[in-house]
Amino acid sequence: MSGSTAQPSLKRQVGLWSAIAVVIGTTIGSGIFRSPAGIAEKLPGPLPMGAVWVMGGLLALCGALSLAEIASAYPRTGGIYAFVKEGFGNLPAFMFGWAEVSVIRASSVGAIAITFAEYFLRAIGIDPSVDPNHQYAKYIAAAAIFAMGLVNVLGVRWGTLVLNLTTIAKYGGLLFIVMLAFALGLPQTGGANFTPAAPPGSFSVSMFGLALVSVLWAYDGWADLSYTAGEVKDPERNMPRALIGGTIAIIVIYLLANLAYLSVLSVTEISQSRLVAADVANKLMGQAGVTFVGVTVMLSTFGTLTGSLFTSPRIFFAMAEDGLFFKFVAKVHPKYHTPHVAIWINVVLAIVFVLFLTFEQLAEAFVTAIVPFYALSVAALFVFRKRPEYKPAFRTPGYPFVPLLFVVSTIYLLANGLIDASSRTLTATALGMILLGIPVYYLTVGRNQGVSKA
């Protein structure tokens, strides 16, 4: 590029409502429709089931309150990456980017795309669990990833438009299911599925921890807006509003959805239901209800896929700008003002993951790998509060207890994952991939930059 031509940059084009849509749209995906079965199997009682969803929501809110303060002081593209780099230096920031590239983002996008593809096949009358249909679902998922990558390359407005529309559709669809269950299902069951609240054997510390991992998969997305902080209008005000408002809206609809499921199905029935919302609708409305839920889930996962491919490439973009990734990744499209190279890298990796791994492998690997960096970004708040030049526009209520609760809960989750035999291998593998980022750092960018702070 000639010296007289300015390098195009990302623009602040995302308003408050679009920012809220990013939070809700990237969070409500497949989790609320697929996670309840596994949770009911681990905690077979209405009270333990409800408690783990409340705990997951509380942790998400603690994280959102903490990041809202940091984002109001450092509204930079890259979000968690930028916060970790600002607080702890280059090496931890690189490790987050390495984990995003090697495990986190491709796993997340792949799991969402597979769910979309499965419900697409069901909507046209094809069973995705039967071969070769199962393989067809992977191809459809790959095509969906490519299509949404293209939408996000073509401009921020196109990406946020799709996200806004699908967010309204998915939230409205869940509300309709909730109202239907309360109006028709609850009078039929008389609330019998809520008793006994905590039958013998329905709770253990280990199972609660494993169930919480599934809940956090459903809640994940509350932090994704921070990745696009460099493109949010008036970020000092809008970032806290969107992070907190969007997270509260998610907690409310998730708790209502679980109460609605129990209004129609017993705990045992939920534990055996891979598509609990469809089974609820089938009991209340028959096949028409199943079709409605199928379309809702398709819109839900489609919107989440759009949001994830909108937010996550900004991490790679920010790393490249800082010299912690290949410089060409920081290129901005001259016409559409989007980080097109970073988007296509994300698309290619996600397609590879979706073609070779299952939904369960993708979802579990994602949660295990992302949680330590959520904790690290929240812990950065303690570092920032000690700096005299730190002037956030918003301050976390309940400090230091709110961020401390989040960090301690994260340590518990990881320890529980390593102790429990059923999750030990996956947890250790994911953590091992993260730690592999240390030698990779010193063999590449770290040789020139060391571990100095930004």
Side-chain angles (χ1 to χ4, degrees):
M1 187 174 290
S2 64
S4 61
T5 305
Q7 165 68 23
S9 60
L10 300 180
K11 294 183 176 181
R12 293 196 179 276
Q13 306 176 66
V14 181
L16 176 60
W17 291 110
S18 290
I20 293 174
V22 169
V23 177
I24 297 175
T26 55
T27 301
I28 301 178
S30 61
I32 190 61
F33 301 105
R34 295 194 66 158
S35 296
I39 293 166
E41 187 177 0
K42 296 179 181 71
L43 302 172
L47 184 58
M49 285 171 56
V52 78
W53 280 98
V54 171
M55 176 59 75
L58 178 62
L59 291 180
L61 185 58
C62 286
L65 288 169
S66 301
L67 287 196
E69 175 176 328
I70 300 174
S72 74
Y74 303 110
R76 301 172 184 172
T77 298
I80 290 175
Y81 159 78
F83 306 154
V84 171
K85 184 174 185 291
E86 185 71 29
F88 300 106
N90 287 343
L91 176 57
F94 176 85
M95 289 177 68
F96 172 65
W98 162 260
E100 279 280 342
V101 171
S102 61
V103 181
I104 295 172
R105 199 50 49 183
S107 297
S108 174
V109 171
I112 295 164
I114 284 180
T115 304
F116 165 79
E118 288 178 347
Y119 284 99
F120 174 79
L121 288 175
R122 286 188 179 182
I124 60 176
I126 298 174
D127 185 353
S129 64
V130 178
D131 286 330
N133 300 340
H134 178 68
Q135 193 62 35
Y136 294 158
K138 289 180 175 288
Y139 297 146
I140 293 171
I145 293 170
F146 178 84
M148 285 304 93
L150 182 60
V151 167
N152 279 293
V153 166
L154 292 178
V156 170
R157 290 182 180 178
W158 282 108
T160 54
L161 176 62
V162 172
L163 190 58
N164 288 343
L165 294 175
T166 55
T167 296
I168 293 170
K170 72 172 73 176
Y171 205 92
L174 269 174
L175 275 178
F176 178 76
I177 295 169
V178 168
M179 291 187 293
L180 196 68
F182 288 158
L184 301 180
L186 194 56
Q188 293 178 12
T189 61
N193 296 330
F194 291 93
T195 58
S202 63
F203 176 84
S204 73
V205 174
S206 175
M207 287 297 103
F208 191 87
L210 294 178
L212 189 56
V213 170
S214 298
V215 169
L216 290 179
W217 161 254
Y219 275 113
D220 186 78
W222 56 267
D224 282 15
L225 176 65
S226 69
Y227 302 141
T228 64
E231 295 161 90
V232 174
K233 299 176 182 177
D234 191 10
E236 291 80 8
R237 296 180 62 195
N238 288 338
M239 286 295 294
R241 290 179 178 180
L243 282 167
I244 297 168
T247 301
I248 290 174
I250 293 159
I251 293 171
V252 169
I253 195 64
Y254 278 8
L255 295 181
L256 287 175
N258 278 278
L259 290 174
Y261 296 159
L262 278 170
S263 297
V264 180
L265 303 176
S266 68
V267 173
T268 301
E269 288 174 320
I270 292 175
S271 69
Q272 298 170 352
S273 173
R274 188 176 179 183
L275 179 54
V276 62
D279 288 341
V280 167
N282 187 42
K283 271 199 170 185
L284 299 175
M285 298 174 59
Q287 185 57 40
V290 176
T291 302
F292 172 81
V293 168
V295 173
T296 299
V297 174
M298 284 174 58
L299 289 171
S300 177
T301 50
F302 193 72
T304 306
L305 185 62
T306 304
S308 188
L309 287 172
F310 171 64
T311 58
S312 57
R314 272 66 179 176
I315 302 168
F316 309 147
F317 173 86
M319 289 180 68
E321 276 205 321
D322 290 340
L324 294 181
F325 203 39
F326 300 112
K327 201 65 181 176
F328 69 87
V329 178
K331 287 186 177 180
V332 175
H333 198 285
K335 179 179 180 181
Y336 303 119
H337 296 280
T338 55
H340 61 113
V341 176
I343 290 173
W344 287 124
I345 288 174
N346 201 5
V347 166
V348 171
L349 290 171
I351 289 175
V352 171
F353 270 52
V354 85
L355 291 176
F356 293 100
L357 299 175
T358 67
F359 170 84
E360 289 75 18
Q361 290 170 328
L362 292 167
E364 291 178 22
F366 167 78
V367 173
T368 303
I370 192 68
V371 161
F373 295 104
Y374 280 162
L376 200 60
S377 63
V378 169
L381 184 56
F382 298 108
V383 176
F384 298 144
R385 284 287 186 108
K386 295 179 180 179
R387 296 178 179 175
E389 73 277 10
Y390 179 64
K391 305 291 183 183
F394 169 86
R395 287 189 175 267
T396 302
Y399 178 89
F401 301 106
V402 166
L404 187 61
L405 174 62
F406 187 91
V407 173
V408 170
S409 298
T410 299
I411 295 172
Y412 157 72
L413 278 175
L414 293 175
N416 187 73
L418 289 171
I419 293 170
D420 189 88
S422 64
S423 60
R424 185 179 302 144
T425 301
L426 179 63
T427 303
T429 301
L431 294 179
M433 284 297 297
I434 293 173
L435 294 175
L436 186 60
I438 296 175
V440 171
Y441 174 80
Y442 285 114
L443 289 171
T444 56
V445 295
R447 289 189 299 179
N448 298 321
Q449 298 198 27
V451 293
S452 63
K453 288 188 177 182

